Amino acid sequence: MNLLREFTQYLSVLVPFRAASAGTLLCLGANEIVMGPLGELGPIDPSVANAFNPEDPHNPVARLPVSVEDVMAYLSLAREIAGLESEGSLAGVFNRLVDKVHPLALGNVHRNYALIRSLARKLLELHMPGEEQGRVEDIIKNLTQRLYAHNHMISRREAVQDIRLHVTAPSDRLEDLMWQLYLDYEADLKLLEPFNPAALLKPQEYSVEFEATGGIIESIPCLDAFVFNGTITRESQPREGAPPVNVTFTRQGWRQLI
């Protein structure tokens, strides 16, 4: 968003369909969010993952992500629903949490709790004047803690009336162009085709190279794509519960296509 701002003083973001989580965060930096009737935004509360997160009981080598807002909701539950107020009671609740989640993982949660609010504030302040600080804080609270579910779908009406974002509806002509553009990217990124490594291997093959596009940046003079390259190898004797193939990424980066 800061890079885009180097090239324009007024920026509009087009949302023909879904722009959840990080997509919504990007929208916060725009002067105007143009949402079609099927446009959706979403909460920006993050989940964090690091080496100190709890182990996945189904895969000991993996770590479970921890939702920042879930941790905050647990502490709110103790205070607001259970009615715990004394220092001893709240200390017991916190100690119970620490028994399940490593203290350094909780520290990372708090850092991300502060980070997401700081990012949202900076993005909104790119175009909202200082006298609207109350509205800025209200938008941040709406998108981080008042929607209660990370997969909550924010419609155009809700974005305007409840979240209080700078949202406009496109003309019929613009709406049609937005949707056609979305369909083009849907085809280029193969959004309707789940990435199934095992399906890319033919029965007689033990290894195959693949290429997948993860993102596109298009401008008038050129088109660049973020491309993943890798190799899929069939396991000759897969362990119980392990995937039948291995996926190895050999390269990833931006590539100019046009």
Side-chain angles (χ1 to χ4, degrees):
M1 181 54 66
N2 286 325
L3 178 62
L4 292 173
R5 284 285 179 181
E6 292 291 329
F7 295 92
T8 182
Q9 294 298 314
Y10 192 92
L11 182 66
S12 296
V13 172
L14 308 181
V15 183
F17 196 27
R18 294 173 181 156
S21 197
T24 296
L25 197 62
L26 188 67
C27 289
L28 296 185
N31 298 82
E32 176 188 40
I33 306 170
V34 183
M35 291 181 69
L38 297 180
E40 296 175 5
L41 303 178
I44 58 173
D45 56 305
S47 291
V48 298
N50 61 41
F52 299 102
N53 277 32
E55 289 184 358
D56 185 341
H58 302 292
N59 184 4
V61 300
R63 298 285 173 171
L64 294 172
V66 177
S67 168
V68 171
E69 292 303 324
D70 280 349
V71 173
M72 301 306 168
Y74 169 71
L75 300 175
S76 297
L77 173 70
R79 291 191 301 266
E80 299 170 11
I81 305 301
L84 302 180
E85 297 180 355
S86 69
E87 290 185 7
S89 297
L90 293 175
V93 168
F94 187 75
N95 288 335
R96 177 73 173 172
L97 177 62
V98 172
D99 287 341
K100 299 294 183 181
V101 184
H102 195 285
L104 293 182
L106 291 174
N108 192 33
V109 164
H110 183 70
R111 289 180 64 186
N112 279 272
Y113 177 87
L115 174 63
I116 198 66
R117 284 157 175 76
S118 175
L119 286 175
R121 184 175 296 105
K122 289 179 179 179
L123 287 168
L124 289 167
E125 288 175 349
L126 288 174
H127 56 87
M128 294 181 69
E131 58 267 22
E132 289 198 80
Q133 277 304 306
R135 183 180 174 190
V136 167
E137 295 301 324
D138 201 46
I139 290 172
I140 294 171
K141 287 181 179 179
N142 282 328
L143 291 174
T144 55
Q145 66 190 63
R146 292 177 180 166
L147 296 176
Y148 306 114
H150 188 71
N151 60 355
H152 179 91
M153 297 178 293
I154 302 172
S155 66
R156 183 168 65 185
R157 181 204 58 78
E158 186 177 1
V160 174
Q161 297 181 9
D162 300 340
I163 311 299
R164 302 175 64 203
L165 292 169
H166 292 283
V167 173
T168 60
S171 65
D172 291 343
R173 173 61 174 160
L174 179 56
E175 180 186 322
D176 181 63
L177 290 172
M178 287 168 56
W179 190 250
Q180 291 303 318
L181 183 62
Y182 167 74
L183 292 178
D184 286 343
Y185 288 133
E186 178 185 78
D188 291 341
L189 297 171
K190 301 180 180 178
L191 298 181
L192 301 182
E193 302 176 27
F195 180 66
N196 183 355
L200 297 179
L201 276 172
K202 297 179 181 178
Q204 69 274 18
E205 290 181 327
Y206 288 93
S207 178
V208 65
E209 295 184 353
F210 73 91
E211 181 175 288
T213 301
I216 291 174
I217 294 181
E218 188 171 10
S219 59
I220 292 174
C222 62
L223 184 149
D224 293 85
F226 194 88
V227 180
F228 297 89
N229 294 91
T231 303
I232 300 169
T233 307
R234 190 187 307 277
E235 284 283 357
S236 56
Q237 295 180 332
R239 302 185 309 275
E240 184 178 354
V245 298
N246 282 326
V247 179
T248 303
F249 289 98
T250 56
R251 182 186 180 277
Q252 61 183 42
W254 290 99
R255 182 189 307 172
Q256 185 171 330
L257 301 183
I258 298 177

